[in-house]
Amino acid sequence: MTEPRLADLPLRDELRDQEPYGAPQLPVRTMLNVNETTYDVPPDVVDAIAKEVRAAAATLNRYPDREFTVLRQKLAAYLTGESGAELNADQIWAGNGSNEVMQHILQAFAGPGRSVMSFPPTYSMYPLYARGVYSDYIAGTRSADFTQEPDDVAAQIREDRPHVVILCSPNNPTGTSLSLDVVEAAYDAALESDTMVVVDEAYGEFRQPGTRSALTMLPGRPRLIVTRTMSKAFALAGGRLGYLAAAPAVTDALRLVRLPYHLSAITQAAATAALDHAETLMANVQRIKVQRDRLVSELNDMGLNPYPSDANFVLFGGLQDAHAAWQHLLDDGILIREAAITGHLRVTAGTEPETTDFLNSMRSYLNG
Ligand SMILES: Cc1ncc(COP(=O)(O)O)c(C=O)c1O
């Protein structure tokens, strides 16, 4: 019997001829394409994670705490310290990456016959989350420099009345944070159409000093959800832990759609140990921010057009042929990201030597 091909299977119509999401994972010297923390996990954090995971291993005959109680308490305490917003454990929800958290949100508040709106260029998974829950996707618009203005965002929400609107701040791939005026205007417009407002702060810890988190807007706003992740600032992309803060009623809604015991005891143990070492891990965030600002300044000196960044990556334009530049870097052992914007590339801020490696190769490309 011959193996059936994908095209022969009775696949959902909207999945036909689609490509799975996924940035290249190539064995290169300098990998700066998916906005990970490129510093190794510090040895004391490795030891602490190993100890917690070992203890959890002895309990693996039992299902894990489905309420991930300790983890939620620690996440609430961390967010309170990080943002200045007072948060309690009953306001916290978590999943296997903020991707899963976002899927829970859309399963609860979007779904068939409903719609999800975001504002490209932005995180390319948003339309795919919408597709996955059988919702329509609405692509909003931005200003020519990719910024967003309060009145414009509010007008688009009033016009399209989506069930869920996703704002991304700092935005991937542009790197810029939203002023809270935009979030406030979006929220007020969204109230008129019973729309849930999600602010994706995956890169929140990298924001420039003085930039407030949307977490501070949660009191009195029951339709607002702020998502975060441990994949970036906590150097835990491989651990898969994303989370959100919202009104307790929102977390009650998400309990209706999560799969039983969705957060394994191993995941809970690893994330809890990493949170206990937040201070050590945040020291690397400061180092990364230095390299991020260096990228903006040196790309500018090369005559390219980097965008100001509140994240751990920089988008830059001004390239005649962005693919040729990307290929030159790859041939040189450096992997960065091709952006869906003509003439632009996106690079993650790495360690100092990695950032130097990238900048040197970029200079050699421009000098022909
Ligand atoms: C804006 C944004 N949100 C969410 C994610 C998902 O991250 P994770 O599922 O690892 O938490 C990413 C990953 O790159 C991202 O760029």
Side-chain angles (χ1 to χ4, degrees), residues 97-166:
S98 51
N99 276 300
E100 189 184 45
V101 164
M102 204 68 89
Q103 188 182 46
H104 286 167
I105 295 170
L106 298 195
Q107 283 175 326
F109 298 110
R114 293 190 165 204
S115 60
V116 177
M117 180 179 203
S118 71
F119 300 85
T122 190
Y123 185 40
S124 56
M125 276 303 297
Y126 300 146
L128 303 197
Y129 300 143
R131 184 186 73 192
V133 299
Y134 311 90
S135 295
D136 293 329
Y137 175 72
I138 303 169
T141 56
R142 293 171 179 260
S143 315
D145 62 356
F146 305 132
T147 56
Q148 293 184 278
E149 293 304 322
D151 291 350
D152 182 42
V153 172
Q156 292 185 57
I157 294 171
R158 286 200 174 93
E159 163 98 17
D160 289 309
R161 304 174 67 83
H163 294 83
V164 178
V165 62
I166 308 174

Side-chain angles (χ1 to χ4, degrees), residues 266-330:
I266 301 289
T267 304
Q268 293 185 41
T272 303
L275 280 160
D276 285 340
H277 289 76
E279 216 170 297
T280 311
L281 292 164
M282 292 310 137
N284 280 341
V285 168
Q286 289 312 317
R287 293 185 185 103
I288 291 163
K289 286 165 92 171
V290 171
Q291 296 309 312
R292 182 261 325 267
D293 293 342
R294 176 181 169 218
L295 280 170
V296 172
S297 139
E298 295 197 25
L299 287 167
N300 206 26
D301 292 346
M302 288 179 214
L304 297 170
N305 301 326
Y307 290 70
S309 175
D310 290 277
N312 66 347
F313 56 85
V314 174
L315 178 75
F316 59 99
L319 293 161
Q320 293 288 342
D321 183 345
H323 180 71
W326 179 85
Q327 190 64 53
H328 169 93
L329 290 160
L330 184 57

Side-chain angles (χ1 to χ4, degrees), residues 301-304 319 328 359-368:
D301 292 346
M302 288 179 214
L304 297 170
L319 293 161
H328 169 93
L359 288 166
N360 286 344
S361 184
M362 202 62 220
R363 265 186 217 102
S364 89
Y365 171 74
L366 292 172
N367 294 335

Side-chain angles (χ1 to χ4, degrees), residues 21 34-35 96-100 102 123 126 129 168 170-172 200 202-203 227-232 237 240-242 313 346:
Y21 173 87
V34 284
N35 303 337
N96 294 283
S98 51
N99 276 300
E100 189 184 45
M102 204 68 89
Y123 185 40
Y126 300 146
Y129 300 143
C168 188
N171 186 47
N172 180 5
D200 180 347
Y203 301 95
T227 60
R228 290 278 183 114
T229 182
M230 294 184 74
S231 295
K232 312 295 178 181
R240 309 307 298 129
L241 200 288
F313 56 85
R346 191 197 72 191

